[in-house]
Amino acid sequence: MKKVLVAAALAAGIMVASPVSAGAFMTYCDWDPLVLIVTPAGHIVPVYDSVWTSSPLDLALPLESYTVKRVYDANGHPHTAVDMTISVPTGLLFRYSTYDEVTTGLLGSGTVLAHASGNSGTPVHLKFTLSQP
């Protein structure tokens, strides 16, 4: 009985201490800055630009810019089309994968307006439409 307990404890210790490759289930939100979008009609709409990576060592500090233009729906009501470009600089010669999203709430909460996967060093375009003119 004592040998079984020692073997089980040893197996559990090896499982906990062994390195695990990062999967889709393990992501880290490195940065979530507030971006104030000014619509063509002058309204200010706050959104959040979340950048997720598979490792806390991949410091994904986003640089974002955006363009807006007025669009109209089928009934002729004005809306704002946004094209947000998110660029994450590459760290120390190594590229890494990112998952970028624009939401109405902090840390991916609220409504997801747009999302896309990308890589550091390559700009990602996220396009969405706001109901504010």
Side-chain angles (χ1 to χ4, degrees):
M1 181 70 174
K2 197 174 193 182
K3 288 182 182 182
V4 173
L5 269 172
V6 170
L10 194 62
I14 290 172
M15 286 177 52
V16 171
S18 65
V20 181
S21 63
F25 60 92
M26 295 182 76
T27 57
Y28 302 90
C29 184
D30 291 327
W31 201 253
D32 195 29
L34 176 67
V35 179
L36 299 176
I37 295 177
V38 180
T39 68
H43 297 100
I44 297 175
V45 181
V47 297
Y48 293 89
D49 161 26
S50 302
V51 177
W52 302 79
T53 64
S54 61
S55 171
L57 300 177
D58 296 332
L59 184 59
L61 183 62
L63 305 170
E64 64 273 316
S65 63
Y66 68 88
T67 58
V68 295
K69 67 178 179 180
R70 181 166 289 174
V71 294
Y72 296 90
D73 63 12
N75 296 325
H77 298 112
H79 296 279
T80 300
V82 181
D83 180 4
M84 184 175 288
T85 304
I86 301 171
S87 181
V88 176
T90 299
L92 300 179
L93 305 175
F94 297 108
R95 296 183 68 180
Y96 50 88
S97 298
T98 62
Y99 177 75
D100 308 315
E101 66 181 9
V102 177
T103 63
T104 59
L106 187 62
L107 295 174
S109 65
T111 303
V112 176
L113 301 173
H115 60 89
S117 295
N119 292 306
S120 62
T122 305
V124 174
H125 286 270
L126 298 176
K127 297 180 181 186
F128 54 95
T129 302
L130 299 171
S131 59
Q132 291 84 353

